[in-house]
């Protein structure tokens, strides 16, 4: 496993072409000033192949979250990913369109969008009734400006195949999704009839009436593009993969804590979720890349699943958190790379990523 502290675009350029099997990452969501004017400027520049820089900052005033990663960065990810390899990138609910466009312009095929549903989101809404003049307040009482967040999309992409799927997997060792390794456990005897879709209870001698692709009793239900946390799990929802948000204990394990929070990263993903996603798209003994390592949850998930890992993180404080967490959770030997800070020429700007 290799952890790199540095600028993602610059560090990706140092990696060999077609050297990683899968990419699982939680990039900046770009929750900045996504005004129609800025979006128009951005898309015009991207379509021309030009570098575009946003104005303002993003989530919690963070500069690195001012906009989604540009096609120039994803092109480097595309270059190091093997032909037919998959990528999963989380995105914001209101900026996933920009994330998808950026990925498409880099050459990726968008194959699906996984929805991670949770019940513990906190609404960030402005109370209109309290904002207007007292004479008008009653009319606007109970009105706000935002819904409660309850899901995060994860965009599933693939680098185009070389030939057919069969030809690609034989030549490059990637191109498929690990269906059986990610099936959802169930005690129900459900399947798909050969004549068409439809759930039926299987009798002891009725297996001949069902196509093996739909049989769930032996390996579980087919993995879907919905993932749930404990707040929405239960009943019919049990047919989906379940993953709770990261607890404080999980966030802090491996770090020097005390009463003060040691893991200060604002968007820590749960380890079980990243394990599942790594397992879904990575072949055995494969290499997982995360160019936005953050506090290291993808690296932990990859290591616990037996995969090799390459993680890049620009912010020194987050890099140290990721290093400590991965060392705590994973027994694989780690190597570290801390490039010297780039000297900035007068008038030059460092990359946001």
């Amino acid at each position: 496993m290799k952890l790199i502290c540095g600028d993602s675009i610059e560090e990706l350029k140092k990696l060999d072409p077609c050297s990683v099997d899968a990419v699982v990452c939680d990039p900046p969501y770009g929750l900045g000033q996504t005004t129609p004017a800025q979006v128009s400027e951005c898309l015009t520049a991207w379509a021309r192949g030009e570098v575009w820089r946003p104005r303002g900052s993003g989530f919690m005033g963070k500069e690195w979250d001012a906009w989604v990663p540009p096609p120039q960065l994803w092109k480097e990810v595309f270059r190091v990913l093997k032909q037919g390899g998959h990528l999963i990138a989380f995105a914001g609910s209101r900026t996933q369109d920009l994330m998808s466009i950026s990925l498409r312009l880099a050459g990726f095929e968008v194959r699906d969008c996984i929805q991670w549903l949770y019940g513990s989101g906190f609404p960030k809404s402005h109370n209109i009734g309290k904002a207007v003049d007292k004479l008008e307040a009653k009319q606007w009482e109970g009105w706000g400006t935002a819904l409660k967040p309850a899901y995060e999309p994860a965009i599933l992409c693939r680098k185009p195949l070389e030939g057919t799927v069969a030809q690609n997997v034989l030549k490059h060792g990637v191109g498929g999704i690990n269906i059986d390794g990610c099936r959802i456990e169930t005690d129900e005897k459900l399947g798909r009839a050969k004549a068409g879709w439809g759930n039926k209870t299987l009798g002891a001698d009725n297996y001949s009436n069902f196509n093996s692709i739909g049989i769930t009793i032996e390996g579980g239900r087919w993995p879907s593009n919905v993932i749930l946390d404990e707040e929405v799990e239960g009943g019919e929802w049990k047919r989906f993969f379940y993953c709770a948000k990261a607890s404080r204990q999980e966030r802090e394990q491996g770090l020097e804590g005390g009463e003060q929070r040691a893991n200060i990263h604002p968007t820590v993903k749960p380890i079980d979720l990243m394990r599942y996603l790594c397992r879904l798209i990575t072949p055995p003994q494969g290499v997982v890349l995360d160019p936005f390592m953050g506090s290291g949850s993808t690296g932990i998930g990859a290591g616990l699943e037996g995969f090799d890992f390459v993680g890049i993180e620009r912010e020194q404080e987050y890099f140290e958190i990721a290093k400590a967490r991965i060392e705590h959770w994973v027994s694989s030997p780690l190597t570290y790379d801390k490039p010297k800070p780039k000297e900035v020429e007068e008038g030059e700007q460092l990359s946001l990523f």
Side-chain angles (χ1 to χ4, degrees):
M1 304 184 81
K2 185 175 184 179
L3 310 184
I4 304 169
C5 183
D7 179 273
S8 290
I9 293 181
E10 297 303 318
E11 296 306 320
L12 284 165
K13 291 177 180 177
K14 301 175 184 178
L15 302 181
D16 293 334
C18 301
S19 57
V20 302
D21 298 279
V23 181
V24 178
C25 59
D26 187 20
Y29 289 0
L31 302 179
Q33 299 175 19
T34 51
T35 62
Q38 284 230 87
V39 170
S40 179
E41 290 176 19
C42 168
L43 296 182
T44 299
W46 284 0
R48 293 172 177 169
E50 298 171 354
V51 175
W52 181 82
R53 291 187 174 278
R55 297 181 292 276
S57 58
F59 179 64
M60 296 178 64
K62 300 292 186 181
E63 174 206 12
W64 48 259
D65 192 53
W67 210 259
V68 301
Q72 290 85 353
L73 185 144
W74 293 121
K75 285 179 180 178
E76 288 301 318
V77 174
F78 184 92
R79 183 184 65 83
V80 303
L81 181 62
K82 290 180 180 178
Q83 205 77 34
H86 283 84
L87 171 149
I88 295 176
F90 280 90
S93 59
R94 64 183 174 91
T95 54
Q96 66 175 359
D97 56 339
L98 292 172
M99 192 79 77
S100 292
I101 291 171
S102 186
L103 286 160
R104 289 182 189 275
L105 290 174
F108 285 101
E109 304 168 345
V110 174
R111 304 284 297 172
D112 207 332
C113 187
I114 299 168
Q115 306 291 324
W116 178 38
L117 309 183
Y118 47 79
S120 54
F122 186 80
K124 301 173 181 64
S125 178
H126 184 61
N127 189 325
I128 298 176
K130 291 184 178 180
V132 300
D133 186 273
K134 289 183 178 180
L135 296 175
E136 305 290 339
K138 188 172 183 180
Q139 177 184 350
W140 294 103
E141 185 177 345
W143 289 74
T145 59
L147 299 173
K148 174 183 175 180
Y151 83 98
E152 288 183 41
I155 304 166
L156 175 63
C157 298
R158 186 177 68 186
K159 186 172 179 177
L161 300 168
E162 182 177 346
T164 66
V165 173
Q167 291 169 337
N168 196 95
V169 297
L170 291 175
K171 182 174 182 179
H172 300 286
V174 294
I177 295 175
N178 186 10
I179 300 299
D180 281 355
C182 295
R183 286 185 179 272
I184 314 305
E185 292 184 10
T186 180
D187 295 328
E188 297 175 273
K189 298 181 179 180
L190 302 174
R192 187 179 81 176
K194 286 184 177 179
W197 288 102
N199 289 334
K200 287 189 176 182
T201 302
L202 294 178
D205 301 319
N206 280 348
Y207 282 94
S208 61
N209 294 327
F210 289 83
N211 189 322
S212 62
I213 196 172
I215 297 296
T216 61
I217 186 60
E218 295 180 356
R221 291 182 180 275
W222 197 275
S224 77
N225 55 8
V226 172
I227 296 173
L228 308 175
D229 85 339
E230 80 280 7
E231 298 291 335
V232 290
E233 185 267 347
E236 286 298 308
W237 295 106
K238 290 184 178 179
R239 66 183 63 225
F240 302 105
F241 180 72
Y242 157 83
C243 183
K245 278 195 168 185
S247 65
R248 176 167 180 173
Q249 180 182 10
E250 180 180 300
R251 291 166 178 253
E252 303 291 321
Q253 280 185 295
L255 305 174
E256 296 295 329
E259 294 184 3
Q260 188 174 0
R261 280 187 59 195
N263 190 345
I264 59 172
H265 196 279
T267 60
V268 180
K269 288 293 184 291
I271 293 171
D272 282 349
L273 176 61
M274 307 317 276
R275 285 188 71 168
Y276 176 81
L277 296 177
C278 287
R279 185 168 72 249
L280 183 67
I281 63 171
T282 312
Q285 289 80 54
V287 179
V288 178
L289 168 68
D290 184 354
F292 312 98
M293 184 169 59
S295 63
S297 294
T298 302
I300 297 170
L304 293 176
E305 287 296 316
F307 302 128
D308 201 354
F309 176 71
V310 177
I312 305 173
E313 174 53 48
R314 192 192 74 166
E315 304 296 323
Q316 181 71 44
E317 58 182 348
Y318 297 155
F319 177 85
E320 296 298 334
I321 292 172
K323 174 186 170 184
R325 292 184 73 218
I326 293 172
E327 285 178 339
H328 173 82
W329 284 92
V330 182
S331 59
S332 303
L334 303 178
T335 59
Y336 308 104
D337 188 359
K338 295 184 180 180
K340 294 180 180 179
K342 180 181 177 182
E343 294 184 4
V344 184
E345 300 292 339
E346 185 175 353
E348 182 185 5
Q349 289 182 302
L350 282 172
S351 165
L352 293 177
F353 309 99

